[in-house]
């Protein structure tokens, strides 16, 4: 039953992605009255998720953002989603864990920032999230500290791109493993969620999974939250956080069906992601006594190397990221900070050809010839750490969106460390593809996953929230999403966002319940 | 049999045939069938002249002179701009998408007039390609390109044209893509492992 807007609920959670959904479920399970406000729609996977890239563009956050700096970040399909489930609706469900040293970049390299707690604070939550989502992966996992628990399910089958990467890596002496992925290699049942079927190898993980085998929040933590009494309010766009005279938040204002509504509450959990979380705080001039809201934007170096092979690959089959290597986590010859991982990549045709047009500048008959090779292409990409810099930040522009609110402008330029890392990876991946027998090798430079803008830390003058995700300025405001990461980590962020969300929820419950 | 058929190619009609089977979900069938059967659209964002120019440019970027079924590339751009939707971001150095397209088309024509003393539409295919190449590498003459970053404009136009083209079932047949036929799941995933419904390249 929906809560009344006049009622003072315990918590309003803004955003239902990897940061909001696990936390929402935890608070609901603890018996709190919780309402989640989600800007996007509630989708029905079987009906709304056709196997078609264009038809699924609706899952991206398509409100225009302005990309500035030397390496402007593409948003939309590259970053951030909309709909109940947030960006997890279209994440590729890569779920590697961060390694302990990822959390102490400053200690080890003298630059960047350490996390305000150590790996052992995240570890139990990694275990919990992996078991809950039903992550498929190898046991033992070849890199990082030994696991207390094996992955919930065995690894998914390795597709053509993965087999080629395995072949090339063997040749050049790089260790590989089937990747951990939050798609189910066998049917999975859980109390409060129900039964989810095994992955059908549809390869369409960059969009919405139509059978619920991929662990997006809409088929995992959201049903669990609802099971425990949480209310999900889709198509509610939050515009304002209202502060009472006492200096705490008392109401959340949002637009629904063109009307303004207000939900009274005791606590607010802002889980709208790096861009929208910072934008909302800046719009309302809140939680920014440090001046750090919008600062420290980071984006993973995500260079992709593509090649054409004699073999028939059919890059649309199997999970895109079937194979992984973390051998480059701290390579001996590194001249950069941190490290990166390697992943094989399959790809859908429109994404591939459009990237190729951008990356190689091909058009005319050259483009059509290269596109004809689609069934014979495979890629490898990296995901690497990124340092926070003063020159990378988000600000409100003068240009207004359709709601009359300022569009965000995001500055991003890779620094020397990111450029050296990319150059290192370029060599490594070209060697792998060369050894695997690739022709027409080409590179697509990119940065993926935006991180930062509301850093967590122990010092109120340099961080926006404390180690528990609580605002230094406004005690009943919490942030739970990728905006609070003090450093970018050398892995895909989703699993860590979820683990951190559960930790934030538990810390909150200990303190306030 | 025409010359084109001597080159390696995938058989025609693969996707269209699959769309009539239960190998695709109802949602997928609907999305692709609607696109396949979309009626030709009169431009509502661009003027008739601008649209003719955009159409000619798109046909150089992705030639489809020899195709029996023309894929509406420029029409898709016009439709999006009419609806005022975006793909979620734009280069800060560019004006909004609608203005960028209008300016860019003006720039292309201006460059054609400077180099060949003729509007773009009057040029031969090779001459049109010369203009577009110059725009792509930021060497196109004309006032427009003093204010609009030519390489960014070209990249955005090309990417959108490509997305419109390769989203179309007929273009997907051309490259042998049948990923939409996924209801039984895919069991043969490895190298050179094809399912019966996956088309083979031929040279006949």
């Amino acid at each position: 039953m929906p809560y009344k807007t006049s009622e003072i609920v315990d918590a309003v959670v803004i955003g239902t992605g990897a940061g909001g959904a696990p936390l929402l479920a935890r608070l609901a399970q603890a018996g709190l009255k919780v309402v989640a406000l989600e800007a996007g729609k509630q989708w029905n996977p079987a009906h709304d998720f056709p196997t078609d890239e264009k038809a699924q563009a609706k899952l991206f956050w398509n409100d225009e953002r302005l990309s500035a700096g030397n390496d402007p970040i593409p948003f939309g399909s590259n970053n951030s989603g909309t709909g109940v489930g947030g960006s997890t609706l279209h994440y590729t469900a890569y779920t590697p864990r961060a390694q302990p040293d990822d959390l102490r970049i400053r200690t080890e390299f003298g630059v960047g920032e350490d996390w305000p707690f150590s790996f052992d604070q995240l570890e139990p939550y990694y275990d919990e999230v992996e078991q809950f989502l039903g992550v498929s992966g190898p046991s033992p996992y070849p890199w990082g500290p030994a696991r207390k628990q094996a992955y919930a399910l065995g690894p998914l089958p390795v597709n053509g791109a993965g087999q080629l990467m395995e072949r090339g890596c063997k040749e050049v002496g790089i260790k590989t493993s089937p990747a951990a992925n939050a798609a189910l290699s066998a049917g999975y049942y859980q109390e409060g969620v129900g039964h989810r079927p095994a992955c059908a190898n549809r390869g369409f993980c960059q969009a919405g999974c139509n059978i619920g085998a991929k662990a997006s929040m809409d088929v995992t933590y959201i049903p669990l939250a609802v099971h425990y009494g949480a209310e999900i309010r889709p198509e509610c766009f939050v515009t304002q956080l209202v502060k009472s005279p006492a200096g705490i938040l008392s109401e959340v204002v949002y637009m629904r069906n063109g009307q303004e509504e207000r939900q009274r509450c005791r606590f607010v959990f802002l889980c709208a992601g790096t861009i929208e979380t910072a934008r909302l705080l800046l719009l309302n001039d809140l939680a920014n006594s440090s001046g750090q809201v919008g600062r420290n934007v980071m984006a993973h170096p995500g260079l992709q190397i593509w090649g054409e092979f004699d073999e028939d690959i059919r890059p649309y089959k199997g999970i895109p990221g079937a194979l992984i290597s973390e051998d480059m986590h701290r390579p001996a010859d590194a001249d950069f900070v941190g490290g990166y991982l390697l992943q094989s990549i399959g790809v859908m045709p429109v994404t591939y050809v459009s990237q190729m047009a951008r990356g190689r500048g091909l058009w005319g008959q050259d483009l059509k010839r290269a596109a004809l090779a689609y069934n014979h292409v495979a890629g490898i990409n990296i995901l690497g750490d990124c340092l926070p810099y003063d020159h990378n930040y988000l600000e409100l522009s003068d240009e207004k969106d359709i709601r009359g609110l300022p569009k965000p402008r995001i500055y991003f330029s890779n620094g020397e460390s990111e450029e050296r890392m990319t150059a290192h990876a370029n060599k490594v991946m070209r060697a792998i593809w060369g050894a695997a027998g690739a022709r027409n090798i080409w590179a697509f430079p990119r940065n993926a996953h935006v991180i930062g803008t509301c850093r967590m830390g122990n010092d109120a003058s340099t961080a926006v929230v404390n180690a528990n995700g609580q605002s230094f300025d406004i005690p009943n405001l919490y942030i739970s999403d990728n905006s609070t990461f003090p450093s970018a980590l050398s892995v895909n962020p989703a699993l860590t966002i979820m683990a951190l969300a559960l930790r934030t929820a538990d810390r909150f419950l200990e303190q306030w319940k | 049999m025409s010359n084109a058929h001597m080159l390696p190619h995938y058989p025609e009609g693969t996707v269209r045939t699959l769309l009539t089977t239960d190998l695709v979900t109802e949602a997928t069938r609907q999305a692709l069938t609607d696109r396949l059967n979309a009626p030709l659209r009169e431009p509502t964002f661009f003027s008739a002249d601008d649209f003719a120019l955009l159409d000619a440019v798109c046909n150089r970027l992705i030639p489809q002179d020899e195709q029996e079924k023309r894929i509406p590339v420029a029409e898709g751009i016009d439709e999006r701009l009419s609806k005022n939707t975006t793909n979620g971001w734009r280069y800060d150095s560019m004006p909004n998408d609608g203005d960028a397209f209008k300016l860019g088309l003006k720039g292309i024509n201006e460059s054609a007039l400077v180099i060949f003393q003729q509007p773009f539409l009057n040029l031969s295919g090779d001459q049109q390609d010369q203009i577009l190449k110059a725009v792509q590498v930021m060497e196109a003459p004309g006032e427009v390109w003093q204010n609009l970053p030519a390489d960014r404009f070209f990249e955005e136009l090309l990417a959108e044209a490509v997305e419109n083209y390769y989203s179309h079932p007929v273009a997907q047949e051309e490259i042998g893509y049948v990923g939409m036929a996924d209801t039984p799941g895919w069991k043969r995933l490895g190298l050179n492992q094809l399912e019966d419904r996956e088309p083979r390249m031929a040279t006949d």
Side-chain angles (χ1 to χ4, degrees), chain A residues 51-52 316-317 364 368, chain B residues 35 61 63 155 182 188 198:
Chain A
T51 309
D52 178 68
Y316 48 85
K317 293 191 289 187
K368 290 189 94 173
Chain B
R35 199 168 304 143
L61 297 180
E155 180 195 331
D182 58 7
R188 297 176 59 79
E198 301 185 274

Side-chain angles (χ1 to χ4, degrees), chain A residues 231-250:
Chain A
E231 183 195 342
I232 314 293
R233 254 174 238 171
E235 297 179 71
C236 293
F237 188 95
V238 177
T239 56
Q240 208 185 332
L241 306 175
V242 180
K243 211 155 94 170
S244 73
I248 59 167
L249 300 180
S250 55

